[in-house]
Amino acid sequence: MAPAPPGSQAVPLPSNLPFRIISKTIGQGAYASIRKACPLNAPKPIIAVKFISKEHAFKQGRLTPKQLSMEITLHKYLGKHQNIIHCVGSGEDTIWTWIAMELAEGGDLFDKIEADEGVGEDIAHFYFTQLVSAISFMHSKGIAHRDIKPENVLLSGEGDLKLADFGLAAMFKRDGKVRLCNTVCGSPPYIAPEIVSGRRSRRADLLDTGYAANVSDIWSCGVVLFVLLVGNTPWDEPTMRSEEFKEYVETNGRTTDELWQKIPPEIVSLLRGMLKMDPNTRFTLDEIRTHPWFTRSNPYLSPAGTNANPIGLATQMLSQLRIDFSTDPTQGSQRGSSQYPDAMEIDSAPSPHRSRADPNALISSTQPETPVTDMSFDWERPPRLGMPTYDGISASQPTSNNHRPAYQMQPLTQTPFLSQLPSSTQDLLSQDPSLTQFTPNPSVPLTLTQAARKFKDVLPNYSLARFLSPLSLSLLIPLLAEALHRLGVPVPPFGEEQLGQWERDGEASVRVKMADGRRQGLNGHVVLERVLLGGDAMCEVRFVKASGDPLEWRRFFKRVVVLVGDAVLRPG
């Protein structure tokens, strides 16, 4: 039997599954974790299986058996669509419910978009077109998603959009009859204003007057388009407590906000139509599909609505990921300064009296720990940096003296560059896509694109929120701790003995729990491991997101990297 998913009851998974579990955790939600699986007697196809602990979800959480049953029923009812994660099957025993799904081989879309920058018009148009296709299909089946946000937008191996997570989906039309929804749900930056502002006299999560869930989906799609274009949301929540939203409403969409100024007028007209306050006058899907910007030609979009140039698209997106080491990471880029959003569910939030715009008020708690003692950390490792697999490479493999030319037990006197390493190590790391983000003028090495056959060959499915350092763990951990302190992360003290133990183990982990700039839960780990690369021992640091907005996690990663910048290995 496979071990239990993290964050759930420490009991084994069902032994009579109709497939084989072949990975550790690759994704996690409030009550569930996701593993890879394959047929019992064959290596392919590889699917994703979501395991929900009933006791954890029903007794400790806020999920009901009826809600879980509805998620499965609606997901299966949707059937197949090229831009929607397909439900393969489901099952349960007395302890677990599982849902088998198509695997999103390309990972998270918004892992691959630069925070505060966004993507070019062609790429934004390509993914927006596919999102509208997915939502159009759902609505044609009478189902609204109700939780459209970056966290639920995934990619296929060819880089096509895949909409996921139907836990909040609802039937708004059946047998020709339209019904309104009353449940308050969604994520504050993406939720429609009619859901937040409605009167609730009976229960905090139920509106007295219902809303059209399909029309609310249109609003959320508009916010996602905005984020694609500029790498940030237009507001932190659609209430008058948000200064950006207040100005948007009072100026009838003619806001002076600097982010709106970056967007071309023809797209602004589409956004204003989708983000109309009155649901009755908000753009319909037909109006979106006939808008001049939507119908424009796009070199990445095939007549069938799929990726016409996967390698070109991946190359362009990778070249747009860039970390500017000259910025001040303690200055926030979050939107607004509204008060605690009591209308919405928050995973972990700091004091409501703290300013929303203060980046140092984002973190609620962290705890340094080693992976072996942290039962909730059981995540699948990505391929080792610079290597297609990590066969024969142990993260904590002891390094002999002749494997230590790059591993520094003394503080660095200058920024480490790739050119300072042996040529064999340089050749190895030149194939690693995560290094391109640290160059002043990002470009994608030909070694990455020449042999590429798929989108994921250039832009991998795993997160690029990681870096290499020649510093030892015992030197790098204090630097990271100081960086986290500067960002408001209270890291408990540790002594020389603990540092020595981490150095001997060759690995360490810091668990991060925070509320992001919009007071939404953002959780994960900063994992440090000693690795061998072409005979050189180095330290690899990975930022592993467990839950939360991928753009917010990217922003957090960038800030920490800039603060420890002189320890980060860079190309050149």
Side-chain angles (χ1 to χ4, degrees):
M1 295 183 186
S8 62
Q9 303 303 305
V11 294
L13 296 178
S15 58
N16 59 342
L17 294 170
F19 41 74
R20 287 186 295 123
I21 302 298
I22 58 172
S23 79
K24 294 183 178 181
T25 301
I26 61 169
Q28 186 172 310
Y31 317 115
S33 69
I34 300 173
R35 307 279 187 101
K36 292 180 187 177
C38 68
L40 293 173
N41 301 310
K44 291 184 178 181
I46 297 175
I47 60 172
V49 184
K50 180 178 179 180
F51 289 97
I52 302 105
S53 164
K54 294 180 182 180
E55 181 176 356
H56 186 63
F58 302 154
K59 294 183 180 179
Q60 300 178 30
R62 288 184 286 250
L63 191 65
T64 67
K66 182 180 178 181
Q67 288 171 325
L68 181 55
S69 175
M70 182 61 69
E71 174 183 355
I72 296 170
T73 299
L74 293 182
H75 198 172
K76 287 181 177 178
Y77 176 72
L78 278 174
K80 283 192 173 183
H81 183 273
Q82 64 188 22
N83 298 122
I84 294 176
I85 290 292
H86 176 55
C87 182
V88 177
S90 64
E92 64 177 330
D93 61 13
T94 56
I95 299 173
W96 299 98
T97 293
W98 56 265
I99 307 171
M101 301 169 286
E102 169 189 7
L103 176 67
E105 292 184 276
D108 287 3
L109 167 60
F110 284 84
D111 262 350
K112 301 160 179 59
I113 293 175
E114 192 58 88
D116 305 312
E117 297 293 335
V119 294
E121 249 189 84
D122 283 342
I123 298 174
H125 177 268
F126 171 75
Y127 283 120
F128 178 69
T129 300
Q130 293 193 330
L131 177 62
V132 169
S133 178
I135 295 302
S136 297
F137 180 78
M138 288 189 68
H139 288 187
S140 73
K141 293 268 193 173
I143 299 174
H145 190 281
R146 298 203 301 174
D147 197 21
I148 300 166
K149 59 183 180 181
E151 201 173 347
N152 294 332
V153 180
L154 309 178
L155 294 176
S156 72
E158 292 294 349
D160 288 304
L161 181 144
K162 293 283 185 178
L163 188 61
D165 197 340
F166 302 92
L168 295 178
M171 184 82 72
F172 70 88
K173 188 176 184 180
R174 187 171 186 177
D175 299 327
K177 294 182 179 179
V178 176
R179 61 175 288 268
L180 300 179
C181 294
N182 293 79
T183 304
V184 177
C185 60
S187 179
Y190 302 91
I191 198 171
E194 62 267 21
I195 301 176
V196 181
S197 59
R199 187 168 179 267
R200 286 163 278 180
S201 61
R202 292 169 293 169
R203 268 172 43 188
D205 61 340
L206 282 180
L207 298 178
D208 293 353
T209 303
Y211 60 90
N214 56 320
V215 180
S216 299
D217 275 354
I218 299 295
W219 177 282
S220 301
C221 287
V223 178
V224 168
L225 173 57
F226 188 97
V227 176
L228 281 168
L229 291 162
V230 300
N232 210 332
T233 55
W235 38 72
D236 53 1
E237 61 177 70
T239 73
M240 291 303 181
R241 293 174 296 200
S242 164
E243 290 298 323
E244 290 84 10
F245 183 76
K246 185 172 183 286
E247 184 187 6
Y248 177 83
V249 173
E250 292 176 347
T251 61
N252 197 27
R254 269 71 180 172
T255 174
T256 59
D257 187 280
E258 60 181 9
L259 294 187
W260 284 88
Q261 307 307 313
K262 295 180 179 180
I263 301 173
E266 59 271 24
I267 310 179
V268 170
S269 73
L270 173 59
L271 285 169
R272 285 179 184 149
M274 298 179 71
L275 299 175
K276 284 189 176 181
M277 290 293 294
D278 183 358
N280 296 313
T281 61
R282 194 171 297 158
F283 272 12
T284 63
L285 284 170
D286 282 341
E287 288 175 302
I288 294 170
R289 287 189 293 252
T290 56
H291 188 276
W293 186 75
F294 189 89
T295 59
R296 70 191 282 274
S297 61
N298 190 327
Y300 296 119
L301 194 63
S302 75
T306 56
N307 195 343
N309 184 4
I311 307 303
L313 179 63
T315 302
Q316 182 65 24
M317 291 178 70
L318 181 58
S319 69
Q320 292 173 345
L321 291 174
R322 176 176 174 263
I323 293 177
D324 184 355
F325 286 94
S326 67
T327 58
D328 182 356
T330 61
Q331 296 300 311
S333 57
Q334 277 73 27
R335 314 311 317 276
S337 56
S338 62
Q339 298 301 308
Y340 185 92
D342 56 1
M344 304 157 210
E345 292 182 2
I346 309 298
D347 287 337
S348 55
S351 165
H353 303 295
R354 290 181 179 177
S355 168
R356 293 291 293 280
D358 180 6
N360 296 324
L362 303 182
I363 314 299
S364 59
S365 67
T366 62
Q367 180 181 349
E369 59 207 347
T370 54
V372 289
T373 60
D374 179 14
M375 294 303 293
S376 69
F377 187 80
D378 187 30
W379 287 77
E380 182 85 345
R381 283 190 179 97
R384 184 63 58 219
L385 277 167
M387 298 185 181
T389 67
Y390 37 114
D391 294 341
I393 300 294
S394 170
S396 56
Q397 181 177 336
T399 52
S400 59
N401 289 334
N402 60 347
H403 279 143
R404 284 182 175 264
Y407 199 64
Q408 300 293 317
M409 303 300 290
Q410 299 295 325
L412 294 170
T413 57
Q414 60 182 7
T415 302
F417 286 98
L418 189 60
S419 59
Q420 298 164 354
L421 300 177
S423 58
S424 59
T425 306
Q426 291 184 45
D427 292 342
L428 191 65
L429 292 177
S430 68
Q431 303 169 43
D432 177 28
S434 66
L435 282 179
T436 64
Q437 63 191 316
F438 303 121
T439 57
N441 300 299
S443 60
V444 179
L446 285 175
T447 51
L448 265 179
T449 57
Q450 284 176 334
R453 294 293 178 266
K454 287 189 171 186
F455 177 93
K456 65 177 183 177
D457 294 337
V458 177
L459 201 50
N461 57 3
Y462 53 82
S463 171
L464 297 183
R466 58 183 189 168
F467 67 86
L468 276 176
S469 176
L471 283 181
S472 65
L473 269 76
S474 56
L475 289 177
L476 190 54
I477 290 172
L479 288 180
L480 284 167
E482 173 60 25
L484 293 173
H485 273 301
R486 289 187 63 185
L487 293 175
V489 184
V491 181
F494 47 83
E496 291 297 323
E497 184 178 346
Q498 178 65 75
L499 281 174
Q501 185 61 53
W502 281 328
E503 190 66 63
R504 288 188 293 275
D505 292 342
E507 60 182 7
S509 172
V510 175
R511 186 176 181 181
V512 180
K513 287 187 176 182
M514 68 182 89
D516 65 23
R518 300 158 186 81
R519 302 210 178 240
Q520 297 303 289
L522 191 62
N523 307 302
H525 289 78
V526 180
V527 183
L528 300 92
E529 295 181 276
R530 185 167 60 239
V531 297
L532 291 181
L533 296 169
D536 289 316
M538 304 194 81
C539 189
E540 180 189 24
V541 182
R542 293 185 289 121
F543 287 64
V544 183
K545 179 178 73 71
S547 61
D549 189 305
L551 270 176
E552 288 288 340
W553 188 254
R554 171 77 186 172
R555 187 175 287 118
F556 168 63
F557 163 70
K558 288 170 66 176
R559 285 177 173 160
V560 176
V561 165
V562 172
L563 286 172
V564 299
D566 288 339
V568 176
L569 179 69
R570 309 184 202 179

